Amino acid sequence: MSDTDTRDPTSLRTPIVAVLGHVDHGKTSLLDKIRGSAVIEGEAGAITQHIGATAVPLDIVSSIAGDLVDPEDFDLPGLLFIDTPGHHSFTTLRSRGGALADIAILVVDVNDGFQPQTLEALDILRRSETPFIVAANKIDTVPGWNENEDSPINATYESQTDRVQGRLDEQLYEIIGNLSDEGFSADLYWRVQNFQRNVGVVPVSAMTGEGVPDLLAVMMGLSQRYMKEEMEIDVTGPGVGTVLEVKEEKGFGKTVDIVLYDGTIRADDQLVVGGQNDPIVTDVRALLQPRPLAEIRTESRFEKVDEVSAAAGIKVAAPELDDAMAGAPVRVVRDRNLEDVVHEVQAELADIAVDTEEQGVVVKADTLGSLEAMADALEDAEVPIVRAEVGDIAPRDISVASTADDPKQQVILGFNVDVLSEAETRAETDDVGIFTDEVIYQLVEEYDEYVEEIEQAQQDTILENITRPARFRILPDHTFRQNDPAVVGVEVDAGTLQNNTNVVKFDGAKPERVGQIKGIQEQGEDVDEARNGDRVSVAIDGPTVGRGIEESDRLWAEIPEKHAKILEQELADEIPGDELEALNMYLDKQRNRDPFWGK
Ligand code: GDP
């Protein structure tokens, strides 16, 4: 066919659109609404259902958008919506080191405003430099809203009362303010002149279809204006795409659902697909598209097609696909040199590969894209990674994690993956922490908290084994026993006086050990320590009152030099203020004599 292809080789492909946003903000409903409207507007068969994506051709965009889209103004063929919303599929779908989606819709519920996954989606859009618009969804829930099904926003807004308009304005400005807090200059879409510089906010209802014409018009306009060049492809060239999902399919074995973003794939093509280990070289057995609804009762849900051109979603049945990975590149070989194509696929995989260190945490994720997003987030949080792989958490991951020197790194962070039961048991015996989540930054936060807990526990144990600073005074007329041991009443001026510590007195500059605390009693009860301000009686083994110590003497807990150093350098934030004060006074006294004491 390549010799007889008479098509214009350069042609404009459909921009690929992804929908992101917080859970329950209406991503699925919005996609359903757009698909539904497209089906209603289109003649039977005019909207093509792809695998994993829905193509809405320009004429249907135009009939939904009415006056807002004049087909004469456009030469892009329409919009291709990725059916699986959410930033997970967005990060999976990559192309040549960037995001596969050309443009994104960030859905924000006007009542609920910015939420964790909204922020995460913004972060991903920022990193991938993907242009996006914000669909401020659920405007129909503003109390008193007057519904105008499928109406452009301007008309329906005009038909609302002042109060309803005011309420909606408030909610929209809140969203614009939130965007600006995140560093995106934004405005209502009709005020935006340059969509490359400003984010347009489109008020919509996925329920009533209000604002959907505007949404489609803005996306069409934005793509036409700023992306036309990127949409130029060689339709007759060998296809290039990304694996969306690897799936077992009855009658076909392992298949890959791919999104093709360049060229054409044919039923007799040879392919190179990114795999867990080496690139997979295989031959297409069948190209499959969903069978139209009317024919669904036939033996298979799919029908075979001879060729598909970008942009498109298609299922490919081929041998050897067991190791194929979601997010991996796919390239048609056709008349090119096989080795070159294998190298290209290898290079793309290496590009996605995460930099690892000698020591660090183990990271698992379900796709290459999400693995990379995890790695980015961990790099920001300054968490080193020792191993990063696609797949569920398995026993060998536990083995790797358990060898970390630092207990804080004996950890596996799993994004969107399962923990195999054997791994779970091993983790318990090997004392490896497993954290899993479906929101990346929550996962990082959970890990941060864990690290903090460990650090706190480590400091607590250090504190337990260290002599605490204390300054205290023997009270006048409080000698209960002269010696063996001397028992006197004292008041702690600062710090924590512990049992069994040695006691020193500074006579002039020189510290002089006078004895050791051999018991503390507070109101007749034995206690282990006395805090700042406490009056207690202490037994001091060693001195005799009148010889060695006197009433009204100022005494100190003797702090070994090593302890003083740890206290000053590592624990200053951990000990109470009065104790730090006692430490500093003690250090001053010591350093008067020896400026390097405890340093
Ligand atoms: P997703 O998790 O972001 O895909 O959210 P869904 O599309 O599943 O929507 C979550 C809930 O919000 C569902 O109960 C929807 O019916 C509802 N919903 C979505 N969009 C709208 C809207 O524009 N108006 C109203 N009233 N409800 C909506």
Side-chain angles (χ1 to χ4, degrees), residues 263-493:
T264 298
I265 182 169
R266 297 183 186 144
D268 59 358
D269 273 328
Q270 185 179 36
L271 293 183
V272 181
V273 183
Q276 292 277 6
N277 305 306
D278 297 319
I280 303 160
V281 179
T282 185
D283 292 313
V284 176
R285 192 183 284 157
L287 296 179
L288 303 166
Q289 278 198 333
R291 206 175 273 282
L293 279 178
E295 299 166 31
I296 204 88
R297 285 150 66 85
T298 52
E299 77 288 357
S300 164
R301 292 189 291 130
F302 306 108
E303 72 185 353
K304 294 186 183 177
V305 291
D306 290 336
E307 71 163 37
V308 179
S309 297
I314 183 93
K315 184 183 282 294
V316 181
E320 323 272 344
L321 289 177
D322 282 326
D323 273 355
M325 272 186 302
V330 180
R331 285 176 176 271
V332 167
V333 182
R334 207 165 305 155
D335 31 26
R336 300 188 55 205
N337 179 320
L338 174 61
E339 237 169 76
D340 290 349
V341 181
V342 169
H343 278 142
E344 278 173 16
V345 168
Q346 258 163 348
E348 275 179 78
L349 286 172
D351 190 36
I352 308 171
V354 172
D355 289 338
T356 52
E357 323 251 337
E358 292 276 304
Q359 290 282 333
V361 300
V362 173
V363 181
K364 300 291 298 245
D366 58 341
T367 72
L368 278 176
S370 54
L371 194 63
E372 190 180 45
M374 271 296 296
D376 283 345
L378 288 173
E379 191 182 343
D380 284 354
E382 294 178 8
V383 178
I385 299 170
V386 69
R387 177 202 193 100
E389 271 181 6
V390 172
D392 288 333
I393 298 174
R396 67 196 171 99
D397 298 318
I398 311 290
S399 311
V400 175
S402 66
T403 60
D405 293 342
D406 184 343
K408 288 176 295 214
Q409 293 176 347
Q410 286 169 9
V411 157
I412 300 173
L413 304 179
F415 176 68
N416 254 329
V417 293
D418 290 330
V419 184
L420 303 181
S421 68
E422 204 187 317
E424 206 154 341
T425 340
R426 280 278 300 279
E428 262 173 47
T429 39
D430 290 4
D431 217 8
V432 166
I434 296 184
F435 297 86
T436 54
D437 207 303
E438 268 124 54
V439 180
I440 288 179
Y441 89 97
Q442 277 175 10
L443 190 56
V444 176
E445 250 173 38
E446 276 168 50
Y447 176 62
D448 274 348
E449 278 165 26
Y450 177 74
V451 167
E452 247 169 59
E453 269 170 36
I454 291 187
E455 280 174 353
Q456 189 61 51
Q458 282 171 340
Q459 287 187 331
D460 288 349
T461 22
I462 297 177
L463 264 184
E464 266 168 35
N465 294 310
I466 236 163
T467 305
R468 311 283 290 267
R471 188 176 75 139
F472 57 104
R473 189 166 55 91
I474 302 176
L475 297 168
D477 301 325
H478 276 73
T479 303
F480 306 118
R481 194 177 151 142
Q482 216 63 35
N483 57 14
D484 287 328
V487 178
V488 289
V490 304
E491 180 174 322
V492 181
D493 303 323

Side-chain angles (χ1 to χ4, degrees), residues 186-261:
D187 209 340
L188 294 165
Y189 88 87
W190 53 87
R191 299 215 188 106
V192 173
Q193 300 282 335
N194 182 336
F195 281 91
Q196 272 180 318
R197 248 182 263 142
N198 298 303
V199 175
V201 175
V202 185
V204 299
S205 165
M207 193 83 106
T208 66
E210 289 161 291
V212 171
D214 308 64
L215 191 69
L216 292 174
V218 174
M219 271 189 300
M220 223 37 237
L222 201 157
S223 322
Q224 176 75 29
R225 177 96 191 259
Y226 301 107
M227 286 171 203
K228 203 172 141 182
E229 273 172 31
E230 291 161 48
M231 297 302 112
E232 278 174 9
I233 58 158
D234 173 8
V235 263
T236 59
V240 187
T242 303
V243 176
L244 174 58
E245 219 177 319
V246 185
K247 257 191 198 164
E248 186 75 33
E249 214 66 75
K250 226 174 138 206
F252 295 103
K254 269 272 160 58
T255 64
V256 285
D257 292 355
I258 67 172
V259 174
L260 198 70
Y261 60 83

